[in-house]
């Protein structure tokens, strides 16, 4: 499937903010977030650039919290930032075995009647506000009022992306489009150097997305899922690898 390169989430203003931070703003961030009280105004930008990778990501996370998470678009999809009002639609669609069986066992099963609301209120939205994760709902451009799935990016060291989509919309390449859009955002806007995604070895559909994206299988282990303890594959791709693949003729 050809990639949609026109509206994949590479927000120019956000990139500019990361690369061309004004001296005054950089000084404030340097003092408040990097705990460098002696930052010189004339040297601040250079010092921010030279800050450790972890410190730079802390600064970026401050800017890309929930209120700054953009709407992304692909050829067929609109990815809207998660809102608490989305819980009702998610609750009606999510609690299906085809959806949850390969999700981590942090998902309660059987799924409680208020599971989506509590997850959004207590976990997902606070994490977005802290800048620890970025969540979107998936909607067809032809029916943007209807939620059909969800995708998220996480700052966690060994699990940076997760998603689900309703059975009716599986097998149509829609999640591949969404995964490409948020992967662009991860590397081009948030400026993380590596994307790592573990998955159950039996989750063939998810594996195919990783293969299409040019990821490498780098490890195997056992993890616990809703359906039990299963062999798990660890896939990853670097920013350099992603950009080289995306820019191929």
């Amino acid at each position: 499937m050809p990639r949609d390169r026109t509206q994949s989430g590479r927000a120019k203003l956000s990139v500019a903010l990361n690369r061309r931070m004004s001296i005054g703003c950089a000084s404030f961030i340097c003092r408040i977030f990097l705990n460098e009280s002696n930052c010189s105004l004339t040297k601040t930008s250079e010092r921010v650039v030279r800050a450790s990778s972890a410190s730079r990501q802390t600064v970026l996370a401050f800017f890309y919290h929930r209120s700054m998470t953009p709407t992304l678009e692909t050829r067929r999809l609109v990815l809207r930032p998660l809102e608490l009002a989305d819980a009702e639609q998610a609750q009606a669609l999510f609690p299906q075995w085809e959806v949850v069986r390969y999700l981590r066992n942090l998902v309660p099963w059987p799924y409680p009647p208020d599971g989506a609301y509590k997850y959004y209120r207590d976990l997902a939205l606070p994490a977005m506000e802290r800048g620890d994760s970025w969540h979107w709902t998936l909607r067809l451009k032809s029916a943007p009022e209807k939620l059909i799935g969800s995708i998220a990016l996480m700052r966690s060291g060994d699990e940076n992306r997760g998603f689900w989509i309703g059975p009716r919309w599986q097998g149509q390449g829609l999640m591949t489009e969404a995964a490409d859009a948020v992967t662009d955002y991860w590397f081009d806007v948030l400026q993380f150097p590596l994307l790592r995604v573990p998955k159950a070895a039996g989750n063939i559909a998810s594996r195919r997305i990783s293969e299409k994206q040019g990821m490498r299988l780098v490890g195997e282990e056992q993890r616990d899922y809703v359906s039990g303890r299963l062999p798990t594959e660890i896939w990853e791709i670097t920013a350099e690898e992603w950009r080289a693949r995306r820019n191929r003729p």
Side-chain angles (χ1 to χ4, degrees):
M1 177 182 300
R3 283 185 169 82
D4 174 15
R5 299 180 182 175
T6 61
Q7 298 185 21
S8 58
R10 297 187 294 275
K12 294 181 180 179
L13 289 178
S14 298
V15 174
L17 177 61
N18 179 43
R19 295 178 179 172
R20 298 183 179 180
M21 194 179 300
S22 69
I23 289 178
C25 181
S27 178
F28 171 79
I29 292 170
C30 186
R31 292 188 175 107
I32 300 302
F33 294 100
L34 304 186
N35 293 319
E36 296 189 16
S37 57
N38 295 321
C39 285
S40 167
L41 285 176
T42 59
K43 295 294 185 180
T44 297
S45 295
E46 180 180 357
R47 295 187 67 171
V48 169
V49 169
R50 289 180 179 178
S52 69
S53 176
S55 296
R56 288 198 304 272
Q57 296 309 329
T58 299
V59 172
L60 284 169
F62 171 77
F63 281 105
Y64 297 112
H65 55 71
R66 176 174 174 268
S67 65
M68 294 295 290
T69 300
T71 295
L72 306 180
E73 294 188 5
T74 72
R75 182 169 62 88
R76 295 179 290 174
L77 292 172
V78 177
L79 283 65
R80 290 185 185 171
L82 185 70
E83 299 178 356
L84 189 59
D86 297 324
E88 182 177 358
Q89 287 197 63
Q91 183 69 42
L93 184 61
F94 179 75
Q96 302 183 64
W97 188 247
E98 298 93 327
V99 172
V100 305
R101 61 175 176 164
Y102 289 131
L103 298 182
R104 296 294 299 277
N105 68 338
L106 298 176
V107 176
W109 193 257
Y111 202 63
D114 58 353
Y117 181 84
K118 285 187 174 179
Y119 173 69
Y120 288 0
R121 183 194 65 188
D122 299 339
L123 296 174
L125 292 173
M128 292 173 73
E129 295 288 356
R130 293 192 306 269
D132 289 334
S133 65
W134 297 262
H135 292 254
W136 292 265
T137 60
L138 308 185
R139 301 160 187 271
L140 293 171
K141 285 184 173 179
S142 59
E145 72 288 346
K146 185 175 182 61
L147 184 154
I148 66 170
S150 182
I151 192 166
L153 298 170
M154 294 83 71
R155 288 165 54 87
S156 169
D158 67 346
E159 187 166 4
N160 303 134
R161 190 181 68 200
F163 49 68
W164 65 269
I165 191 168
R168 174 182 169 186
W169 298 277
Q170 294 177 6
Q172 302 175 39
L174 292 167
M175 191 54 76
T176 300
E177 288 187 26
D180 283 352
V182 302
T183 302
D184 275 344
Y185 188 77
W186 179 260
F187 287 131
D188 291 349
V189 179
L190 298 178
Q191 297 284 297
F192 285 101
L194 179 73
L195 180 74
R196 177 168 289 182
V197 289
K199 60 198 64 193
N203 192 349
I204 303 302
S206 182
R207 172 193 269 211
R208 286 173 180 164
I209 291 175
S210 292
E211 291 173 339
K212 288 177 184 177
Q213 290 195 312
M215 291 187 171
R216 296 171 284 108
L217 178 62
V218 297
E220 296 178 335
E221 59 187 40
Q222 297 284 322
R223 291 197 182 189
D224 294 317
Y225 298 86
V226 174
S227 55
R229 192 163 183 81
L230 300 173
T232 298
E233 299 175 343
I234 312 297
W235 294 73
E236 69 177 36
I237 189 169
T238 67
E240 291 76 13
E241 291 168 337
W242 175 251
R243 293 181 183 122
R245 185 176 182 83
R246 186 184 63 199
N247 294 328
R248 289 186 314 181

